[in-house]
Amino acid sequence: MTTYTPTPTGEFPAVQSSGIVAGGSSAAEAEFATRDGADDPSTTVVDGRAPKDVKVAPIIAVLVVSAFVMILNETLLSVALPTLMDDLSITAVTAQWLSTGFMLTMAVVIPTTGFLMKRLSVRHVFLTAMLLFLVGTAIAMFSQNFPVLLGARVIQAAGTAMVLPLLMTTILALVPIRSRGLVMGLVGVVISAAPALGPSISGFILEHGTWHDLFLLMLPIIVVALIIGLLFMRNYTEPEKVRLDAISVILSAIGFGGVIYALASISQIVSGTSRLIPLLVAGIGVLALTVFTLRQLRMLSRGDEPLLDLRPLKVRTFTVSVLVILIGFATMLGTVVALPLYMTGALEMTTLEIGLTMLPGAAASGLLGPFIGALYDRVGPRPIVVPGMALMAVVSWLEVFLLDADATQGLIIALNIPLGIGMAMVMTPLLTLSLGALPRSLYGHGSAILNTLQQLAGALGTAVFIALLTLGAVIAAESGASAQAAQASGISWAFVFGGVITTVATVLAITLKTTPAQNEPAA
């Protein structure tokens, strides 16, 4: 079998770099700095090889563990929302802000990470992210009311937003190309398995404790990761005095924040309980994003430093890969949120039973990630991604027809396992392919674009799945169906949406074009 070596595709021949490119990945730019004769070789990277005093394995390990806990935290409260509603005396709409606020903060902070990773050293970025998450987790653990808990979630999200780009750019900078697929498989575990594990772990803990214990679980893991990170994390880049474009930051916050708020309000828009404000905010968000985009392009054309370099979107492989990733992520996150509601309402399962039901699919996704990454290093993306997305589409359509008020726990597990396998087959190769298609100077911006759009995709998937589940249940109930049958009807509506978008993604995956490394022009 011919070994496939993933390298930049050369789709961006117009990009030239002589040194540091403003706002880009500090990790990637270190490689450029070395080639251009950096003054300090102890903080630079040569062809994917770290400086001698940088121990790569512990750095990546601590970043993977930290990111896993942080992403797990994003969905940890999904099963706990009914408990939180009772304990804090809040409505379902208010409780949903614990998830919406998290995603909103992520979408606002991630576009600034390109600047942060240039302005601060890698060690300082890591320390800031970990301390933010640690403080947020501690506050959440002791919180007694909704405003304090929401504020804690926002602080957690700010730390999470900084760790994900740091993890991706560190792998791209320090791991040789021939091994990138295997290591990026760990990132696939973080992004695909961690959110799916959230409801399982939450169900176990709530069966024997309180929602405060959800945060107590994370606290020691983050403390240990912080200590290990401080021992092994070394700077492999040199911070620069770059200017932060405050106007772009404001436009980004209004734009991404407005769109996520509108997406989170889809249920209210569909039901008619609240339409004017969400639609108005959506309009303002779209307008702000349009102005933000034009400003970044104008700054780039003038030779200024954009907050977010949008040139990666001109690379076809990157754009198509990101679209497929976003569809897969939206389907997975929508499923993770909607299935527990269905199992509670239609099948009357306990939180422990829900956790046990969700666990095998998440475990399958997590365990396969590194193996799929190793396979990617040998055969390339398309032989893995196309069957993986097709598997997700088949499962989504099967869920439409098989999940009803009489479905068994075994049937749900049997459907959820291949969904997790398909997600691993999609996420791991495309994370490597999408960022590897870019010039090294744009790794950081590509990572920021990917992670920001993932928050939008997650908000979209969650909101649409819940909206369709609710709408389908209401229509079925009005037709005389029982509460259990109505909820089962609603879940079918939700998975029709999942089936449609995953089918589209399968077609997109077929169009991915990759060529052997020896036939590619230099990027």
Side-chain angles (χ1 to χ4, degrees), residues 19-20 29-30 32-45 237-239:
I20 305 301
E29 288 160 354
F32 272 95
T34 301
R35 293 175 179 179
D36 293 330
D39 295 331
D40 187 1
S42 67
T43 60
T44 54
V45 180
T237 61
E238 299 177 17

Side-chain angles (χ1 to χ4, degrees), residues 115-136:
F115 164 81
L116 293 174
M117 292 180 67
K118 281 185 63 66
R119 188 67 180 84
L120 304 175
S121 68
V122 171
R123 187 178 172 89
H124 284 159
V125 172
F126 172 78
L127 180 62
T128 301
M130 296 297 285
L131 287 177
L132 282 171
F133 190 83
L134 185 62
V135 169

Side-chain angles (χ1 to χ4, degrees), residues 141-219:
M141 186 174 65
F142 293 108
S143 61
Q144 298 297 325
N145 56 63
F146 176 75
V148 174
L149 181 57
L150 179 61
R153 293 283 286 173
V154 169
I155 297 172
Q156 284 183 319
T160 304
M162 297 171 67
V163 161
L164 286 176
L166 179 61
L167 170 60
M168 288 187 180
T169 52
T170 297
I171 289 175
L172 290 168
L174 300 185
V175 177
I177 289 176
R178 66 181 179 275
S179 304
R180 244 176 233 170
L182 174 61
V183 180
M184 198 63 83
L186 299 175
V187 183
V189 172
V190 169
I191 294 178
S192 61
L197 275 173
S200 301
I201 295 176
S202 183
F204 295 144
I205 293 176
L206 291 175
E207 188 73 16
H208 304 288
T210 70
W211 60 266
H212 294 90
D213 296 325
L214 298 175
F215 300 102
L216 177 61
L217 170 72
M218 292 182 285
L219 209 57

